[in-house]
Amino acid sequence: MYEEKASNYCHCRLCQKAIGAPVAVFTWVPTENFKFSKGQPKRYASSDKGDRLFCGDCGTPVGFDTKGPVIGVTVPTLDNPECFAPQQHIFVSSRQPWFKDNDGLPHLKEGPDSDSI
Ligand SMILES: [Zn+2]
């Protein structure tokens, strides 16, 4: 399960396609404690795991609604992204071979509960 307020680099293929980049940065917060300050995002069901949220005016990906106790928010779209530094890389098994990082953070093969690689 996603840890409250944990921020991750996500290398999964769904994020790559939804974000249009090799990696997405999400932070996970309790759904009940989160609200959009201006307008409501559009959504589409990208998988059985939840809905992708995006701005209906400009298309910016803003989040991932698990329809559960936590919601994922794309960190770069927050007012204070510097406060949500990623703590690990997840779904590294899907990382593009040409994408390199050497930030020293843990690299998890799959989701947050998987083994490090
Ligand atoms: Zn992902």
Side-chain angles (χ1 to χ4, degrees):
M1 196 59 210
Y2 295 104
E3 192 175 309
E4 184 176 322
K5 293 186 178 180
S7 297
N8 302 310
Y9 288 105
C10 186
H11 297 266
C12 84
R13 286 293 292 147
L14 290 173
C15 280
Q16 291 174 11
K17 292 176 181 177
I19 303 290
V23 63
V25 184
F26 279 93
T27 194
W28 298 89
V29 296
T31 304
E32 65 184 3
N33 294 343
F34 180 81
K35 67 175 183 177
F36 289 95
S37 58
K38 182 179 174 186
Q40 288 298 312
K42 291 197 172 191
R43 60 177 59 227
Y44 75 92
S46 62
S47 74
D48 61 358
K49 307 281 189 220
D51 292 351
R52 297 280 167 174
L53 307 176
F54 61 98
C55 175
D57 293 329
C58 70
T60 298
V62 295
F64 186 77
D65 184 357
T66 64
K67 300 180 181 178
V70 293
I71 184 170
V73 184
T74 51
V75 169
T77 65
L78 293 170
D79 291 335
N80 302 97
E82 67 277 10
C83 296
F84 299 89
Q87 297 153 343
Q88 59 190 2
H89 294 260
I90 61 173
F91 293 102
V92 175
S93 61
S94 300
R95 180 174 55 187
Q96 293 303 311
W98 42 260
F99 186 84
K100 307 296 183 198
D101 66 76
N102 61 354
D103 56 19
L105 295 174
H107 286 67
L108 306 181
K109 185 174 182 182
E110 301 295 337
D113 297 327
S114 69
D115 294 332
S116 293
I117 57 174

Short mmCIF file of all heavy atoms in Angstrom, two decimals, residues 67-116:
data_model
loop_
_atom_site.label_atom_id
_atom_site.label_comp_id
_atom_site.label_asym_id
_atom_site.label_seq_id
_atom_site.Cartn_x
_atom_site.Cartn_y
_atom_site.Cartn_z
N LYS A 67 -9.37 5.75 -6.02
CA LYS A 67 -10.73 5.53 -5.52
C LYS A 67 -10.69 4.81 -4.17
O LYS A 67 -11.61 4.11 -3.81
CB LYS A 67 -11.59 4.77 -6.54
CG LYS A 67 -11.71 5.53 -7.85
CD LYS A 67 -12.55 4.79 -8.86
CE LYS A 67 -12.61 5.58 -10.16
NZ LYS A 67 -13.38 4.89 -11.19
N GLY A 68 -9.57 5.00 -3.50
CA GLY A 68 -9.37 4.40 -2.19
C GLY A 68 -8.95 5.47 -1.20
O GLY A 68 -9.24 6.66 -1.41
N PRO A 69 -8.24 5.09 -0.16
CA PRO A 69 -7.89 6.03 0.90
C PRO A 69 -6.80 7.03 0.54
O PRO A 69 -6.60 8.00 1.28
CB PRO A 69 -7.43 5.13 2.05
CG PRO A 69 -6.99 3.86 1.37
CD PRO A 69 -7.87 3.71 0.16
N VAL A 70 -6.08 6.81 -0.57
CA VAL A 70 -5.04 7.75 -0.97
C VAL A 70 -5.23 8.18 -2.42
O VAL A 70 -5.82 7.46 -3.23
CB VAL A 70 -3.62 7.16 -0.80
CG1 VAL A 70 -3.29 6.94 0.67
CG2 VAL A 70 -3.47 5.88 -1.60
N ILE A 71 -4.71 9.38 -2.71
CA ILE A 71 -4.74 9.90 -4.07
C ILE A 71 -3.30 10.31 -4.41
O ILE A 71 -2.58 10.84 -3.57
CB ILE A 71 -5.72 11.09 -4.19
CG1 ILE A 71 -5.82 11.56 -5.64
CG2 ILE A 71 -5.35 12.23 -3.26
CD1 ILE A 71 -6.95 12.58 -5.87
N GLY A 72 -2.92 10.02 -5.65
CA GLY A 72 -1.61 10.42 -6.12
C GLY A 72 -1.70 11.76 -6.80
O GLY A 72 -2.62 12.00 -7.60
N VAL A 73 -0.77 12.65 -6.50
CA VAL A 73 -0.74 13.98 -7.09
C VAL A 73 0.60 14.17 -7.78
O VAL A 73 1.64 13.84 -7.19
CB VAL A 73 -0.95 15.07 -6.02
CG1 VAL A 73 -1.01 16.45 -6.66
CG2 VAL A 73 -2.21 14.79 -5.21
N THR A 74 0.61 14.68 -8.99
CA THR A 74 1.87 14.90 -9.69
C THR A 74 2.59 16.08 -9.02
O THR A 74 2.10 17.21 -9.02
CB THR A 74 1.66 15.17 -11.19
OG1 THR A 74 0.69 16.20 -11.36
CG2 THR A 74 1.19 13.90 -11.90
N VAL A 75 3.73 15.78 -8.46
CA VAL A 75 4.46 16.75 -7.64
C VAL A 75 4.77 18.06 -8.38
O VAL A 75 4.59 19.15 -7.82
CB VAL A 75 5.74 16.11 -7.05
CG1 VAL A 75 6.66 17.16 -6.43
CG2 VAL A 75 5.35 15.06 -6.02
N PRO A 76 5.22 18.00 -9.65
CA PRO A 76 5.55 19.28 -10.30
C PRO A 76 4.36 20.23 -10.46
O PRO A 76 4.56 21.42 -10.70
CB PRO A 76 6.09 18.84 -11.67
CG PRO A 76 6.62 17.47 -11.42
CD PRO A 76 5.63 16.86 -10.45
N THR A 77 3.13 19.74 -10.32
CA THR A 77 1.96 20.63 -10.46
C THR A 77 1.56 21.27 -9.14
O THR A 77 0.67 22.13 -9.13
CB THR A 77 0.75 19.86 -11.02
OG1 THR A 77 0.33 18.86 -10.08
CG2 THR A 77 1.07 19.22 -12.36
N LEU A 78 2.19 20.87 -8.04
CA LEU A 78 1.84 21.47 -6.74
C LEU A 78 2.41 22.88 -6.62
O LEU A 78 3.36 23.25 -7.31
CB LEU A 78 2.41 20.59 -5.61
CG LEU A 78 1.77 19.20 -5.48
CD1 LEU A 78 2.57 18.35 -4.50
CD2 LEU A 78 0.32 19.31 -5.06
N ASP A 79 1.84 23.66 -5.73
CA ASP A 79 2.33 25.02 -5.50
C ASP A 79 3.73 25.02 -4.89
O ASP A 79 4.50 25.95 -5.12
CB ASP A 79 1.38 25.78 -4.56
CG ASP A 79 0.05 26.08 -5.23
OD1 ASP A 79 0.01 26.15 -6.48
OD2 ASP A 79 -0.95 26.25 -4.50
N ASN A 80 4.06 23.98 -4.11
CA ASN A 80 5.37 23.89 -3.45
C ASN A 80 6.01 22.53 -3.72
O ASN A 80 6.20 21.73 -2.80
CB ASN A 80 5.21 24.10 -1.94
CG ASN A 80 4.58 25.44 -1.62
OD1 ASN A 80 3.37 25.51 -1.40
ND2 ASN A 80 5.37 26.48 -1.62
N PRO A 81 6.36 22.26 -4.98
CA PRO A 81 6.91 20.93 -5.29
C PRO A 81 8.20 20.62 -4.54
O PRO A 81 8.51 19.45 -4.31
CB PRO A 81 7.14 20.99 -6.81
CG PRO A 81 7.20 22.44 -7.14
CD PRO A 81 6.31 23.13 -6.14
N GLU A 82 8.94 21.66 -4.13
CA GLU A 82 10.19 21.41 -3.42
C GLU A 82 9.96 20.73 -2.07
O GLU A 82 10.90 20.17 -1.49
CB GLU A 82 10.96 22.73 -3.23
CG GLU A 82 10.31 23.73 -2.30
CD GLU A 82 9.24 24.59 -2.96
OE1 GLU A 82 8.84 24.31 -4.11
OE2 GLU A 82 8.79 25.55 -2.30
N CYS A 83 8.74 20.77 -1.57
CA CYS A 83 8.43 20.15 -0.28
C CYS A 83 8.15 18.65 -0.39
O CYS A 83 7.92 18.00 0.63
CB CYS A 83 7.22 20.83 0.35
SG CYS A 83 7.50 22.56 0.75
N PHE A 84 8.14 18.11 -1.61
CA PHE A 84 7.75 16.71 -1.81
C PHE A 84 8.82 15.95 -2.59
O PHE A 84 8.55 15.34 -3.61
CB PHE A 84 6.39 16.64 -2.53
CG PHE A 84 5.29 17.30 -1.75
CD1 PHE A 84 5.02 18.65 -1.91
CD2 PHE A 84 4.54 16.57 -0.83
CE1 PHE A 84 4.01 19.27 -1.17
CE2 PHE A 84 3.54 17.17 -0.10
CZ PHE A 84 3.27 18.52 -0.26
N ALA A 85 10.03 16.01 -2.10
CA ALA A 85 11.14 15.35 -2.78
C ALA A 85 10.90 13.84 -2.84
O ALA A 85 10.53 13.23 -1.84
CB ALA A 85 12.44 15.64 -2.04
N PRO A 86 11.09 13.24 -4.01
CA PRO A 86 10.93 11.78 -4.13
C PRO A 86 11.89 11.05 -3.20
O PRO A 86 13.03 11.49 -2.98
CB PRO A 86 11.28 11.50 -5.59
CG PRO A 86 11.06 12.80 -6.29
CD PRO A 86 11.42 13.86 -5.29
N GLN A 87 11.39 9.93 -2.66
CA GLN A 87 12.18 9.14 -1.71
C GLN A 87 12.65 7.82 -2.29
O GLN A 87 13.45 7.12 -1.68
CB GLN A 87 11.32 8.89 -0.46
CG GLN A 87 10.96 10.19 0.24
CD GLN A 87 9.67 10.11 1.03
OE1 GLN A 87 8.87 9.21 0.83
NE2 GLN A 87 9.46 11.07 1.90
N GLN A 88 12.11 7.45 -3.46
CA GLN A 88 12.50 6.18 -4.07
C GLN A 88 12.03 6.15 -5.52
O GLN A 88 11.20 6.97 -5.93
CB GLN A 88 11.90 5.00 -3.31
CG GLN A 88 10.38 5.03 -3.26
CD GLN A 88 9.80 4.00 -2.31
OE1 GLN A 88 10.52 3.28 -1.64
NE2 GLN A 88 8.49 3.93 -2.24
N HIS A 89 12.56 5.19 -6.26
CA HIS A 89 12.12 4.91 -7.62
C HIS A 89 11.29 3.64 -7.57
O HIS A 89 11.72 2.66 -6.95
CB HIS A 89 13.32 4.68 -8.55
CG HIS A 89 14.16 5.89 -8.75
ND1 HIS A 89 14.06 6.68 -9.89
CD2 HIS A 89 15.10 6.47 -7.98
CE1 HIS A 89 14.94 7.67 -9.80
NE2 HIS A 89 15.58 7.57 -8.65
N ILE A 90 10.13 3.63 -8.22
CA ILE A 90 9.32 2.41 -8.26
C ILE A 90 9.09 1.99 -9.71
O ILE A 90 9.23 2.80 -10.63
CB ILE A 90 7.97 2.58 -7.50
CG1 ILE A 90 7.12 3.69 -8.12
CG2 ILE A 90 8.23 2.85 -6.01
CD1 ILE A 90 5.71 3.78 -7.51
N PHE A 91 8.75 0.73 -9.89
CA PHE A 91 8.55 0.11 -11.21
C PHE A 91 9.77 0.31 -12.11
O PHE A 91 9.65 0.58 -13.30
CB PHE A 91 7.26 0.63 -11.87
CG PHE A 91 6.03 0.19 -11.14
CD1 PHE A 91 5.34 1.07 -10.30
CD2 PHE A 91 5.57 -1.11 -11.25
CE1 PHE A 91 4.21 0.65 -9.60
CE2 PHE A 91 4.44 -1.54 -10.55
CZ PHE A 91 3.76 -0.66 -9.73
N VAL A 92 10.93 0.13 -11.50
CA VAL A 92 12.19 0.28 -12.24
C VAL A 92 12.31 -0.80 -13.32
O VAL A 92 13.04 -0.62 -14.29
CB VAL A 92 13.38 0.29 -11.26
CG1 VAL A 92 14.71 0.32 -12.00
CG2 VAL A 92 13.27 1.50 -10.33
N SER A 93 11.57 -1.89 -13.17
CA SER A 93 11.60 -2.93 -14.20
C SER A 93 11.13 -2.39 -15.55
O SER A 93 11.43 -2.97 -16.59
CB SER A 93 10.75 -4.13 -13.78
OG SER A 93 9.40 -3.72 -13.63
N SER A 94 10.39 -1.29 -15.54
CA SER A 94 9.90 -0.69 -16.79
C SER A 94 10.69 0.56 -17.19
O SER A 94 10.33 1.23 -18.16
CB SER A 94 8.43 -0.28 -16.63
OG SER A 94 7.63 -1.39 -16.33
N ARG A 95 11.75 0.86 -16.46
CA ARG A 95 12.55 2.04 -16.77
C ARG A 95 13.13 1.93 -18.18
O ARG A 95 13.61 0.87 -18.57
CB ARG A 95 13.68 2.20 -15.75
CG ARG A 95 14.55 3.44 -16.00
CD ARG A 95 15.57 3.67 -14.92
NE ARG A 95 16.40 2.49 -14.72
CZ ARG A 95 17.28 2.35 -13.75
NH1 ARG A 95 17.46 3.32 -12.87
NH2 ARG A 95 17.98 1.24 -13.62
N GLN A 96 13.10 3.02 -18.90
CA GLN A 96 13.68 3.03 -20.24
C GLN A 96 15.20 2.85 -20.12
O GLN A 96 15.83 3.49 -19.26
CB GLN A 96 13.35 4.34 -20.96
CG GLN A 96 11.88 4.48 -21.28
CD GLN A 96 11.38 3.32 -22.12
OE1 GLN A 96 11.98 2.96 -23.13
NE2 GLN A 96 10.27 2.71 -21.69
N PRO A 97 15.76 2.00 -20.96
CA PRO A 97 17.19 1.69 -20.81
C PRO A 97 18.09 2.90 -21.01
O PRO A 97 19.22 2.91 -20.51
CB PRO A 97 17.43 0.62 -21.89
CG PRO A 97 16.29 0.74 -22.83
CD PRO A 97 15.13 1.27 -22.05
N TRP A 98 17.61 3.91 -21.69
CA TRP A 98 18.42 5.09 -21.94
C TRP A 98 18.25 6.15 -20.85
O TRP A 98 18.90 7.19 -20.88
CB TRP A 98 18.09 5.69 -23.31
CG TRP A 98 16.62 5.72 -23.62
CD1 TRP A 98 15.95 4.83 -24.41
CD2 TRP A 98 15.65 6.68 -23.17
NE1 TRP A 98 14.61 5.17 -24.47
CE2 TRP A 98 14.41 6.31 -23.71
CE3 TRP A 98 15.70 7.82 -22.36
CZ2 TRP A 98 13.23 7.02 -23.47
CZ3 TRP A 98 14.53 8.53 -22.12
CH2 TRP A 98 13.32 8.12 -22.67
N PHE A 99 17.38 5.87 -19.88
CA PHE A 99 17.16 6.83 -18.80
C PHE A 99 18.04 6.44 -17.62
O PHE A 99 17.87 5.38 -17.04
CB PHE A 99 15.69 6.86 -18.38
CG PHE A 99 15.40 7.92 -17.35
CD1 PHE A 99 15.15 9.23 -17.74
CD2 PHE A 99 15.39 7.62 -16.00
CE1 PHE A 99 14.89 10.22 -16.79
CE2 PHE A 99 15.14 8.60 -15.05
CZ PHE A 99 14.89 9.90 -15.45
N LYS A 100 18.98 7.28 -17.28
CA LYS A 100 19.92 6.99 -16.20
C LYS A 100 19.70 7.94 -15.03
O LYS A 100 19.34 9.10 -15.21
CB LYS A 100 21.37 7.15 -16.70
CG LYS A 100 21.70 6.37 -17.95
CD LYS A 100 21.60 4.88 -17.72
CE LYS A 100 22.00 4.13 -18.99
NZ LYS A 100 21.53 2.76 -19.00
N ASP A 101 19.91 7.42 -13.85
CA ASP A 101 19.89 8.27 -12.67
C ASP A 101 20.92 7.75 -11.70
O ASP A 101 21.24 6.56 -11.68
CB ASP A 101 18.50 8.30 -12.02
CG ASP A 101 18.12 6.96 -11.45
OD1 ASP A 101 18.65 6.60 -10.39
OD2 ASP A 101 17.30 6.25 -12.07
N ASN A 102 21.48 8.62 -10.92
CA ASN A 102 22.46 8.21 -9.91
C ASN A 102 22.24 9.03 -8.65
O ASN A 102 23.18 9.54 -8.06
CB ASN A 102 23.89 8.35 -10.44
CG ASN A 102 24.22 9.79 -10.81
OD1 ASN A 102 23.34 10.66 -10.78
ND2 ASN A 102 25.46 10.06 -11.14
N ASP A 103 20.97 9.15 -8.26
CA ASP A 103 20.64 9.98 -7.10
C ASP A 103 20.80 9.26 -5.78
O ASP A 103 20.60 9.86 -4.72
CB ASP A 103 19.23 10.56 -7.25
CG ASP A 103 18.17 9.49 -7.45
OD1 ASP A 103 18.43 8.31 -7.13
OD2 ASP A 103 17.08 9.84 -7.94
N GLY A 104 21.10 7.96 -5.82
CA GLY A 104 21.33 7.22 -4.58
C GLY A 104 20.07 6.78 -3.87
O GLY A 104 20.14 6.19 -2.79
N LEU A 105 18.90 7.04 -4.44
CA LEU A 105 17.65 6.63 -3.81
C LEU A 105 17.41 5.14 -4.05
O LEU A 105 17.93 4.57 -5.02
CB LEU A 105 16.48 7.44 -4.38
CG LEU A 105 16.51 8.94 -4.08
CD1 LEU A 105 15.37 9.64 -4.83
CD2 LEU A 105 16.38 9.19 -2.60
N PRO A 106 16.59 4.49 -3.20
CA PRO A 106 16.25 3.09 -3.43
C PRO A 106 15.54 2.90 -4.78
O PRO A 106 14.76 3.78 -5.19
CB PRO A 106 15.30 2.75 -2.27
CG PRO A 106 15.60 3.76 -1.22
CD PRO A 106 16.00 5.01 -1.97
N HIS A 107 15.83 1.79 -5.43
CA HIS A 107 15.19 1.43 -6.69
C HIS A 107 14.41 0.14 -6.47
O HIS A 107 15.02 -0.89 -6.18
CB HIS A 107 16.24 1.22 -7.78
CG HIS A 107 16.85 2.49 -8.28
ND1 HIS A 107 17.65 3.29 -7.51
CD2 HIS A 107 16.72 3.11 -9.48
CE1 HIS A 107 18.01 4.36 -8.22
NE2 HIS A 107 17.48 4.28 -9.41
N LEU A 108 13.10 0.21 -6.60
CA LEU A 108 12.24 -0.95 -6.40
C LEU A 108 11.83 -1.51 -7.75
O LEU A 108 11.41 -0.77 -8.64
CB LEU A 108 11.01 -0.59 -5.57
CG LEU A 108 11.30 0.09 -4.23
CD1 LEU A 108 10.02 0.38 -3.48
CD2 LEU A 108 12.23 -0.76 -3.38
N LYS A 109 11.93 -2.83 -7.86
CA LYS A 109 11.65 -3.49 -9.14
C LYS A 109 10.22 -3.20 -9.61
O LYS A 109 9.98 -2.88 -10.77
CB LYS A 109 11.85 -4.99 -9.01
CG LYS A 109 11.70 -5.75 -10.29
CD LYS A 109 12.06 -7.21 -10.09
CE LYS A 109 11.95 -7.95 -11.42
NZ LYS A 109 12.25 -9.39 -11.27
N GLU A 110 9.27 -3.29 -8.70
CA GLU A 110 7.86 -3.05 -9.04
C GLU A 110 7.32 -1.95 -8.14
O GLU A 110 7.93 -0.92 -8.00
CB GLU A 110 7.06 -4.35 -8.93
CG GLU A 110 7.57 -5.47 -9.84
CD GLU A 110 7.42 -5.18 -11.32
OE1 GLU A 110 6.57 -4.36 -11.70
OE2 GLU A 110 8.19 -5.74 -12.11
N GLY A 111 6.17 -2.18 -7.50
CA GLY A 111 5.53 -1.17 -6.68
C GLY A 111 6.20 -0.98 -5.34
O GLY A 111 7.24 -1.58 -5.05
N PRO A 112 5.61 -0.11 -4.52
CA PRO A 112 6.22 0.26 -3.24
C PRO A 112 6.51 -0.90 -2.30
O PRO A 112 7.38 -0.79 -1.44
CB PRO A 112 5.19 1.21 -2.62
CG PRO A 112 4.43 1.74 -3.77
CD PRO A 112 4.39 0.62 -4.79
N ASP A 113 5.83 -2.01 -2.46
CA ASP A 113 6.04 -3.15 -1.57
C ASP A 113 6.99 -4.18 -2.15
O ASP A 113 7.19 -5.25 -1.57
CB ASP A 113 4.71 -3.82 -1.23
CG ASP A 113 3.78 -2.88 -0.48
OD1 ASP A 113 4.29 -2.05 0.30
OD2 ASP A 113 2.55 -2.98 -0.67
N SER A 114 7.58 -3.88 -3.30
CA SER A 114 8.43 -4.88 -3.96
C SER A 114 9.88 -4.79 -3.47
O SER A 114 10.24 -3.90 -2.71
CB SER A 114 8.37 -4.70 -5.47
OG SER A 114 9.02 -3.50 -5.86
N ASP A 115 10.69 -5.71 -3.97
CA ASP A 115 12.09 -5.78 -3.58
C ASP A 115 12.91 -4.69 -4.29
O ASP A 115 12.59 -4.29 -5.40
CB ASP A 115 12.67 -7.14 -3.96
CG ASP A 115 12.03 -8.25 -3.15
OD1 ASP A 115 11.59 -7.99 -2.02
OD2 ASP A 115 11.95 -9.37 -3.68
N SER A 116 13.97 -4.28 -3.62
CA SER A 116 14.93 -3.36 -4.25
C SER A 116 15.75 -4.11 -5.27
O SER A 116 15.94 -5.32 -5.16
CB SER A 116 15.86 -2.76 -3.20
OG SER A 116 15.15 -1.92 -2.33
#
